[in-house]
Amino acid sequence: MERVTRKPFQGVFNIIRFNWHFYLLSAMLLAAGLFFRHLVPVQVLLWALVAATVLSLGVSWYIYDASRLYELQWLDGLHIHSGAQIVNINAGFDETSQLLSQKYPGALLRVFDFYDPAKHTEVSIERARKVYPAYPGTETINTSAIPLPAASADVIFLFLAAHEIRDGQERSIFFEQLRHSLRENGRMVVLEHLRDARNFAAYNIGFLHFFSGAAWRQVFASAGLRIEKEIKITPFLSAFILYKNGTAS
């Protein structure tokens, strides 16, 4: 399989491409404000809108293009052995399965896509699916019926996907199943933005699409998972390395 390398500005370009309606609305508001500026004193609000848009795109470029997020060096501590069963689960947009196959060529990789347009209604995901084909062999699954035998997976990856499960009960059932599927010494890697001050500063009200660190810890604990460590990949992204409760080595 051809080796994948990311293009310059690929991350921020995808954000604009898949969320163009937000930027179109911002441009329309800016144009309207400039047109009526003599009638309504909105200059401060207009400049705040411009500043917020530029800041969010700048932060996104930093995270998805300038950082080493997609080099996956932050996963080196997992020590995945040849023949290990690894699982990568996405919510309809998969930028990492081929990267994982390149990083762990001796592992057995399964890829699951839990996207359900009836439940996971982000329009950006629908647009992304039309542009990026699924990784070869990707299996479409239901969050309440994950096709993994008990204690079969060495490592399960969830990169920027789990927050798309908006219903709390659905999310709890999902993580309980994943715990059941982990081997005794297996690990789970959950990568997410958090609903915190930093992401609010970067994305303003868009940070409401994320969950807080406390909310994630509650989900993990209720599913019988414990946090081995939390890795900050830039100030705006957190990777939780999880293991089964009672099986820490």
Side-chain angles (χ1 to χ4, degrees), residues 59 62-63 192-194 196-203 210 232-238:
V59 170
Y62 164 60
I63 296 170
E192 287 289 342
H193 288 276
L194 300 183
D196 57 17
R198 291 170 178 171
N199 279 291
F200 173 70
Y203 298 111
F210 312 136
K232 293 301 290 187
I233 306 166
T234 81
F236 307 96
L237 276 181
S238 291

Side-chain angles (χ1 to χ4, degrees), residues 191-224:
L191 176 68
E192 287 289 342
H193 288 276
L194 300 183
R195 187 184 295 180
D196 57 17
R198 291 170 178 171
N199 279 291
F200 173 70
Y203 298 111
N204 52 79
I205 63 171
F207 93 131
L208 294 174
H209 189 58
F210 312 136
F211 296 112
S212 68
W216 282 120
R217 288 178 175 84
Q218 183 177 3
V219 169
F220 302 150
S222 65

